[in-house]
Amino acid sequence: MLLEIFSNNLTVLEQRQMITEYIAAALSRAKYEIIEDEEPYYGEVPELKGVWATGKTLEECRQNLAEIIDGWLVVKLKKGLPIPPLGEHKVEGLKRLKVNG
């Protein structure tokens, strides 16, 4: 998925860094557990309502969770919905989002 994010004050590099750091902060807050399922590893980010993923291994679960967070951010930005801060990490100052692909 290719994202084009427009901001009056941030460079493309700064925008990508802000999003990358937000995803890393979300992953650092993730809670994992083993469930009875084909993909027994379950992970969620309690501060991000509805953000969860599963995987056959803990690493796969973590990778899937990162992709889910990325998609969650795309939806929030595209719809102009608020994104909750995670400690000092915020996604702000982005005016418009265009998704290609």
Side-chain angles (χ1 to χ4, degrees):
M1 187 177 316
L2 177 63
L3 300 178
E4 291 182 44
I5 303 170
F6 301 91
S7 169
N8 293 337
N9 302 324
L10 300 173
T11 67
V12 171
L13 182 60
E14 289 170 328
Q15 293 169 28
R16 288 183 182 162
Q17 182 177 352
M18 177 176 33
I19 291 171
T20 299
E21 289 176 0
Y22 188 89
I23 292 172
L27 289 173
S28 74
R29 290 167 162 69
K31 306 295 182 201
Y32 298 95
E33 62 183 272
I34 296 177
I35 59 173
E36 290 189 35
D37 191 78
E38 288 180 23
E39 295 185 341
Y41 290 88
Y42 170 85
E44 66 180 5
V45 181
E47 295 93 339
L48 307 180
K49 186 177 179 181
V51 174
W52 61 272
T54 61
K56 291 183 180 177
T57 66
L58 181 58
E59 185 54 34
E60 181 181 295
C61 180
R62 184 173 165 76
Q63 289 172 353
N64 292 344
L65 189 56
E67 290 176 18
I68 295 295
I69 295 165
D70 182 62
W72 179 85
L73 283 169
V74 168
V75 170
K76 291 282 195 176
L77 290 168
K78 190 171 184 181
K79 293 187 173 216
L81 298 171
I83 298 170
L86 295 174
E88 63 188 44
H89 300 282
K90 299 176 185 174
V91 175
E92 60 186 4
L94 306 178
K95 302 293 182 194
R96 191 174 85 192
L97 172 73
K98 180 179 176 185
V99 180
N100 299 318

